[in-house]
Amino acid sequence: MSFEIRSATVADAKTCYAHTMRHFAESGVDGDIVFHPMLDSWNSREMKDCVDKFDESWSKPITEMGWERMWLLFDGPDRVVGHASLRSPHSPSGLHRSMLGIGVERHVRGGGWGRKLMQAAISWARDQSSLDYIDLYVFTHNTKAHALYESLGFKEIGTTHDLFRVGSQIIDDIHMVLELK
């Protein structure tokens, strides 16, 4: 396997979407913990909408609502197997913050790629004069991810109990923040 991390481009939207669907499908399956509450697959219409959204959000300036930037882990020239993303908050008054999301497919976990993806995103965010914080959320039972985030300097600021219910599992969610400046 030949892995490479690089910033996403609009041309990567379909392969990024395919990775996201494979990754979501692993949540709570075959011994994996539940790490994402979206367990149903999306249909082709939703795929087109998602790919169109990437095109729009990846090209927006970070001073506008709806921006997103993504770093992708490639296994070969056209297969994405991991990602880290930063996106705008839901309010213009919060544009000094960004929300981090990350996902690495099961067969490449444990190789340090999640850390490298996050470091790429954090490094980029630190270079943006308008960003002061990165927020993320992690399920309380996802102890490996929680430890990674802490090792990168994220601090817990609160827990929402019983935020999600997946099957019979009640899931608490931890809010963590990294101050950039």
Side-chain angles (χ1 to χ4, degrees), residues 87-112:
R87 66 183 183 279
S88 74
H90 298 295
S91 170
S93 60
L95 282 171
H96 61 289
R97 305 183 82 92
S98 62
M99 178 63 64
L100 185 131
I102 183 168
V104 178
E105 292 180 37
R106 179 182 300 135
H107 70 282
V108 293
R109 285 186 213 141

PDB file of all heavy atoms in Angstrom, residues 87-112:
ATOM      1  N   ARG A  87     -14.991  22.594   9.049  1.00  0.00           N
ATOM      2  CA  ARG A  87     -16.100  23.300   8.411  1.00  0.00           C
ATOM      3  C   ARG A  87     -16.571  24.437   9.304  1.00  0.00           C
ATOM      4  O   ARG A  87     -16.286  24.478  10.497  1.00  0.00           O
ATOM      5  CB  ARG A  87     -17.233  22.345   8.077  1.00  0.00           C
ATOM      6  CG  ARG A  87     -17.924  21.738   9.250  1.00  0.00           C
ATOM      7  CD  ARG A  87     -18.996  20.726   8.801  1.00  0.00           C
ATOM      8  NE  ARG A  87     -19.696  20.189   9.930  1.00  0.00           N
ATOM      9  CZ  ARG A  87     -19.257  19.208  10.709  1.00  0.00           C
ATOM     10  NH1 ARG A  87     -18.100  18.652  10.486  1.00  0.00           N
ATOM     11  NH2 ARG A  87     -19.979  18.785  11.718  1.00  0.00           N
ATOM     12  N   SER A  88     -17.325  25.320   8.671  1.00  0.00           N
ATOM     13  CA  SER A  88     -17.819  26.493   9.386  1.00  0.00           C
ATOM     14  C   SER A  88     -18.863  26.090  10.420  1.00  0.00           C
ATOM     15  O   SER A  88     -19.515  25.059  10.291  1.00  0.00           O
ATOM     16  CB  SER A  88     -18.425  27.493   8.404  1.00  0.00           C
ATOM     17  OG  SER A  88     -19.681  27.060   7.929  1.00  0.00           O
ATOM     18  N   PRO A  89     -19.036  26.943  11.424  1.00  0.00           N
ATOM     19  CA  PRO A  89     -20.118  26.721  12.384  1.00  0.00           C
ATOM     20  C   PRO A  89     -21.459  27.073  11.736  1.00  0.00           C
ATOM     21  O   PRO A  89     -21.505  27.451  10.565  1.00  0.00           O
ATOM     22  CB  PRO A  89     -19.766  27.686  13.522  1.00  0.00           C
ATOM     23  CG  PRO A  89     -19.010  28.782  12.850  1.00  0.00           C
ATOM     24  CD  PRO A  89     -18.264  28.141  11.720  1.00  0.00           C
ATOM     25  N   HIS A  90     -22.526  26.996  12.508  1.00  0.00           N
ATOM     26  CA  HIS A  90     -23.871  27.242  11.981  1.00  0.00           C
ATOM     27  C   HIS A  90     -24.320  28.693  12.102  1.00  0.00           C
ATOM     28  O   HIS A  90     -25.442  29.013  11.737  1.00  0.00           O
ATOM     29  CB  HIS A  90     -24.884  26.332  12.676  1.00  0.00           C
ATOM     30  CG  HIS A  90     -24.616  24.881  12.445  1.00  0.00           C
ATOM     31  ND1 HIS A  90     -24.695  24.291  11.203  1.00  0.00           N
ATOM     32  CD2 HIS A  90     -24.246  23.904  13.297  1.00  0.00           C
ATOM     33  CE1 HIS A  90     -24.389  23.016  11.300  1.00  0.00           C
ATOM     34  NE2 HIS A  90     -24.109  22.750  12.558  1.00  0.00           N
ATOM     35  N   SER A  91     -23.458  29.564  12.603  1.00  0.00           N
ATOM     36  CA  SER A  91     -23.841  30.959  12.788  1.00  0.00           C
ATOM     37  C   SER A  91     -22.702  31.875  12.348  1.00  0.00           C
ATOM     38  O   SER A  91     -21.539  31.607  12.655  1.00  0.00           O
ATOM     39  CB  SER A  91     -24.148  31.204  14.266  1.00  0.00           C
ATOM     40  OG  SER A  91     -24.291  32.580  14.510  1.00  0.00           O
ATOM     41  N   PRO A  92     -23.018  32.968  11.656  1.00  0.00           N
ATOM     42  CA  PRO A  92     -21.966  33.904  11.243  1.00  0.00           C
ATOM     43  C   PRO A  92     -21.169  34.464  12.421  1.00  0.00           C
ATOM     44  O   PRO A  92     -19.985  34.769  12.283  1.00  0.00           O
ATOM     45  CB  PRO A  92     -22.722  35.026  10.526  1.00  0.00           C
ATOM     46  CG  PRO A  92     -24.035  34.454  10.152  1.00  0.00           C
ATOM     47  CD  PRO A  92     -24.341  33.385  11.174  1.00  0.00           C
ATOM     48  N   SER A  93     -21.787  34.579  13.581  1.00  0.00           N
ATOM     49  CA  SER A  93     -21.075  35.121  14.739  1.00  0.00           C
ATOM     50  C   SER A  93     -20.061  34.127  15.307  1.00  0.00           C
ATOM     51  O   SER A  93     -19.271  34.477  16.182  1.00  0.00           O
ATOM     52  CB  SER A  93     -22.065  35.545  15.828  1.00  0.00           C
ATOM     53  OG  SER A  93     -22.830  34.444  16.250  1.00  0.00           O
ATOM     54  N   GLY A  94     -20.050  32.908  14.781  1.00  0.00           N
ATOM     55  CA  GLY A  94     -19.096  31.897  15.244  1.00  0.00           C
ATOM     56  C   GLY A  94     -18.000  31.590  14.240  1.00  0.00           C
ATOM     57  O   GLY A  94     -17.299  30.586  14.385  1.00  0.00           O
ATOM     58  N   LEU A  95     -17.816  32.448  13.232  1.00  0.00           N
ATOM     59  CA  LEU A  95     -16.842  32.153  12.181  1.00  0.00           C
ATOM     60  C   LEU A  95     -15.384  32.159  12.651  1.00  0.00           C
ATOM     61  O   LEU A  95     -14.491  31.843  11.878  1.00  0.00           O
ATOM     62  CB  LEU A  95     -17.015  33.111  10.993  1.00  0.00           C
ATOM     63  CG  LEU A  95     -18.192  32.766  10.076  1.00  0.00           C
ATOM     64  CD1 LEU A  95     -18.433  33.875   9.054  1.00  0.00           C
ATOM     65  CD2 LEU A  95     -17.969  31.426   9.371  1.00  0.00           C
ATOM     66  N   HIS A  96     -15.149  32.461  13.913  1.00  0.00           N
ATOM     67  CA  HIS A  96     -13.801  32.348  14.463  1.00  0.00           C
ATOM     68  C   HIS A  96     -13.513  30.918  14.931  1.00  0.00           C
ATOM     69  O   HIS A  96     -12.428  30.608  15.394  1.00  0.00           O
ATOM     70  CB  HIS A  96     -13.601  33.334  15.622  1.00  0.00           C
ATOM     71  CG  HIS A  96     -14.537  33.101  16.760  1.00  0.00           C
ATOM     72  ND1 HIS A  96     -15.895  33.384  16.684  1.00  0.00           N
ATOM     73  CD2 HIS A  96     -14.315  32.605  18.000  1.00  0.00           C
ATOM     74  CE1 HIS A  96     -16.465  33.069  17.828  1.00  0.00           C
ATOM     75  NE2 HIS A  96     -15.524  32.598  18.650  1.00  0.00           N
ATOM     76  N   ARG A  97     -14.494  30.027  14.756  1.00  0.00           N
ATOM     77  CA  ARG A  97     -14.379  28.625  15.158  1.00  0.00           C
ATOM     78  C   ARG A  97     -14.568  27.732  13.938  1.00  0.00           C
ATOM     79  O   ARG A  97     -15.180  28.135  12.955  1.00  0.00           O
ATOM     80  CB  ARG A  97     -15.436  28.270  16.200  1.00  0.00           C
ATOM     81  CG  ARG A  97     -15.444  29.160  17.421  1.00  0.00           C
ATOM     82  CD  ARG A  97     -16.469  28.711  18.433  1.00  0.00           C
ATOM     83  NE  ARG A  97     -15.943  27.630  19.253  1.00  0.00           N
ATOM     84  CZ  ARG A  97     -15.316  27.809  20.415  1.00  0.00           C
ATOM     85  NH1 ARG A  97     -15.144  29.026  20.896  1.00  0.00           N
ATOM     86  NH2 ARG A  97     -14.866  26.782  21.104  1.00  0.00           N
ATOM     87  N   SER A  98     -14.090  26.502  14.038  1.00  0.00           N
ATOM     88  CA  SER A  98     -14.354  25.498  13.005  1.00  0.00           C
ATOM     89  C   SER A  98     -14.661  24.171  13.688  1.00  0.00           C
ATOM     90  O   SER A  98     -14.270  23.950  14.832  1.00  0.00           O
ATOM     91  CB  SER A  98     -13.166  25.353  12.055  1.00  0.00           C
ATOM     92  OG  SER A  98     -12.025  24.906  12.749  1.00  0.00           O
ATOM     93  N   MET A  99     -15.358  23.316  12.974  1.00  0.00           N
ATOM     94  CA  MET A  99     -15.745  22.004  13.483  1.00  0.00           C
ATOM     95  C   MET A  99     -14.932  20.935  12.760  1.00  0.00           C
ATOM     96  O   MET A  99     -14.887  20.925  11.528  1.00  0.00           O
ATOM     97  CB  MET A  99     -17.235  21.777  13.247  1.00  0.00           C
ATOM     98  CG  MET A  99     -17.730  20.431  13.700  1.00  0.00           C
ATOM     99  SD  MET A  99     -17.580  20.173  15.471  1.00  0.00           S
ATOM    100  CE  MET A  99     -18.686  21.416  16.057  1.00  0.00           C
ATOM    101  N   LEU A 100     -14.288  20.060  13.527  1.00  0.00           N
ATOM    102  CA  LEU A 100     -13.470  18.999  12.952  1.00  0.00           C
ATOM    103  C   LEU A 100     -14.248  17.695  12.875  1.00  0.00           C
ATOM    104  O   LEU A 100     -14.951  17.334  13.813  1.00  0.00           O
ATOM    105  CB  LEU A 100     -12.203  18.785  13.781  1.00  0.00           C
ATOM    106  CG  LEU A 100     -11.247  17.771  13.173  1.00  0.00           C
ATOM    107  CD1 LEU A 100      -9.843  18.318  13.131  1.00  0.00           C
ATOM    108  CD2 LEU A 100     -11.276  16.463  13.938  1.00  0.00           C
ATOM    109  N   GLY A 101     -14.096  17.013  11.760  1.00  0.00           N
ATOM    110  CA  GLY A 101     -14.590  15.651  11.596  1.00  0.00           C
ATOM    111  C   GLY A 101     -13.456  14.801  11.064  1.00  0.00           C
ATOM    112  O   GLY A 101     -12.592  15.292  10.333  1.00  0.00           O
ATOM    113  N   ILE A 102     -13.434  13.534  11.433  1.00  0.00           N
ATOM    114  CA  ILE A 102     -12.366  12.647  10.974  1.00  0.00           C
ATOM    115  C   ILE A 102     -12.910  11.244  10.832  1.00  0.00           C
ATOM    116  O   ILE A 102     -13.805  10.836  11.575  1.00  0.00           O
ATOM    117  CB  ILE A 102     -11.156  12.663  11.944  1.00  0.00           C
ATOM    118  CG1 ILE A 102     -10.028  11.782  11.400  1.00  0.00           C
ATOM    119  CG2 ILE A 102     -11.557  12.315  13.347  1.00  0.00           C
ATOM    120  CD1 ILE A 102      -8.710  11.943  12.109  1.00  0.00           C
ATOM    121  N   GLY A 103     -12.370  10.514   9.872  1.00  0.00           N
ATOM    122  CA  GLY A 103     -12.734   9.119   9.704  1.00  0.00           C
ATOM    123  C   GLY A 103     -11.653   8.376   8.949  1.00  0.00           C
ATOM    124  O   GLY A 103     -11.159   8.859   7.934  1.00  0.00           O
ATOM    125  N   VAL A 104     -11.273   7.220   9.471  1.00  0.00           N
ATOM    126  CA  VAL A 104     -10.287   6.360   8.827  1.00  0.00           C
ATOM    127  C   VAL A 104     -10.902   4.966   8.745  1.00  0.00           C
ATOM    128  O   VAL A 104     -11.422   4.446   9.738  1.00  0.00           O
ATOM    129  CB  VAL A 104      -8.964   6.335   9.625  1.00  0.00           C
ATOM    130  CG1 VAL A 104      -7.964   5.391   8.975  1.00  0.00           C
ATOM    131  CG2 VAL A 104      -8.379   7.740   9.737  1.00  0.00           C
ATOM    132  N   GLU A 105     -10.839   4.391   7.561  1.00  0.00           N
ATOM    133  CA  GLU A 105     -11.430   3.065   7.377  1.00  0.00           C
ATOM    134  C   GLU A 105     -10.671   2.013   8.190  1.00  0.00           C
ATOM    135  O   GLU A 105      -9.478   2.135   8.449  1.00  0.00           O
ATOM    136  CB  GLU A 105     -11.452   2.707   5.888  1.00  0.00           C
ATOM    137  CG  GLU A 105     -12.429   3.583   5.120  1.00  0.00           C
ATOM    138  CD  GLU A 105     -12.486   3.269   3.642  1.00  0.00           C
ATOM    139  OE1 GLU A 105     -12.393   2.080   3.256  1.00  0.00           O
ATOM    140  OE2 GLU A 105     -12.621   4.230   2.851  1.00  0.00           O
ATOM    141  N   ARG A 106     -11.393   0.991   8.602  1.00  0.00           N
ATOM    142  CA  ARG A 106     -10.910  -0.028   9.530  1.00  0.00           C
ATOM    143  C   ARG A 106      -9.559  -0.619   9.121  1.00  0.00           C
ATOM    144  O   ARG A 106      -8.666  -0.765   9.955  1.00  0.00           O
ATOM    145  CB  ARG A 106     -11.950  -1.150   9.627  1.00  0.00           C
ATOM    146  CG  ARG A 106     -11.553  -2.279  10.554  1.00  0.00           C
ATOM    147  CD  ARG A 106     -12.581  -3.399  10.577  1.00  0.00           C
ATOM    148  NE  ARG A 106     -13.866  -2.898  11.020  1.00  0.00           N
ATOM    149  CZ  ARG A 106     -15.027  -3.201  10.430  1.00  0.00           C
ATOM    150  NH1 ARG A 106     -15.065  -3.975   9.379  1.00  0.00           N
ATOM    151  NH2 ARG A 106     -16.150  -2.712  10.905  1.00  0.00           N
ATOM    152  N   HIS A 107      -9.381  -0.939   7.864  1.00  0.00           N
ATOM    153  CA  HIS A 107      -8.165  -1.650   7.450  1.00  0.00           C
ATOM    154  C   HIS A 107      -6.889  -0.807   7.520  1.00  0.00           C
ATOM    155  O   HIS A 107      -5.794  -1.357   7.426  1.00  0.00           O
ATOM    156  CB  HIS A 107      -8.335  -2.251   6.045  1.00  0.00           C
ATOM    157  CG  HIS A 107      -8.372  -1.252   4.935  1.00  0.00           C
ATOM    158  ND1 HIS A 107      -9.491  -0.500   4.648  1.00  0.00           N
ATOM    159  CD2 HIS A 107      -7.423  -0.870   4.063  1.00  0.00           C
ATOM    160  CE1 HIS A 107      -9.213   0.294   3.626  1.00  0.00           C
ATOM    161  NE2 HIS A 107      -7.973   0.091   3.252  1.00  0.00           N
ATOM    162  N   VAL A 108      -7.016   0.513   7.735  1.00  0.00           N
ATOM    163  CA  VAL A 108      -5.814   1.339   7.880  1.00  0.00           C
ATOM    164  C   VAL A 108      -5.701   1.987   9.262  1.00  0.00           C
ATOM    165  O   VAL A 108      -4.755   2.720   9.515  1.00  0.00           O
ATOM    166  CB  VAL A 108      -5.710   2.424   6.769  1.00  0.00           C
ATOM    167  CG1 VAL A 108      -5.481   1.788   5.425  1.00  0.00           C
ATOM    168  CG2 VAL A 108      -6.911   3.322   6.747  1.00  0.00           C
ATOM    169  N   ARG A 109      -6.637   1.688  10.161  1.00  0.00           N
ATOM    170  CA  ARG A 109      -6.561   2.237  11.513  1.00  0.00           C
ATOM    171  C   ARG A 109      -5.372   1.644  12.266  1.00  0.00           C
ATOM    172  O   ARG A 109      -4.981   0.515  12.025  1.00  0.00           O
ATOM    173  CB  ARG A 109      -7.845   1.928  12.291  1.00  0.00           C
ATOM    174  CG  ARG A 109      -8.992   2.783  11.862  1.00  0.00           C
ATOM    175  CD  ARG A 109     -10.213   2.575  12.746  1.00  0.00           C
ATOM    176  NE  ARG A 109     -11.385   2.743  11.910  1.00  0.00           N
ATOM    177  CZ  ARG A 109     -12.477   2.024  11.982  1.00  0.00           C
ATOM    178  NH1 ARG A 109     -12.592   1.070  12.887  1.00  0.00           N
ATOM    179  NH2 ARG A 109     -13.484   2.253  11.171  1.00  0.00           N
ATOM    180  N   GLY A 110      -4.848   2.430  13.188  1.00  0.00           N
ATOM    181  CA  GLY A 110      -3.743   1.960  14.016  1.00  0.00           C
ATOM    182  C   GLY A 110      -2.372   2.243  13.417  1.00  0.00           C
ATOM    183  O   GLY A 110      -1.357   1.937  14.030  1.00  0.00           O
ATOM    184  N   GLY A 111      -2.342   2.846  12.240  1.00  0.00           N
ATOM    185  CA  GLY A 111      -1.068   3.150  11.592  1.00  0.00           C
ATOM    186  C   GLY A 111      -0.628   4.592  11.736  1.00  0.00           C
ATOM    187  O   GLY A 111       0.324   5.018  11.083  1.00  0.00           O
ATOM    188  N   GLY A 112      -1.320   5.374  12.565  1.00  0.00           N
ATOM    189  CA  GLY A 112      -0.954   6.767  12.775  1.00  0.00           C
ATOM    190  C   GLY A 112      -1.536   7.724  11.753  1.00  0.00           C
ATOM    191  O   GLY A 112      -1.262   8.923  11.785  1.00  0.00           O
TER     192      GLY A 112
END
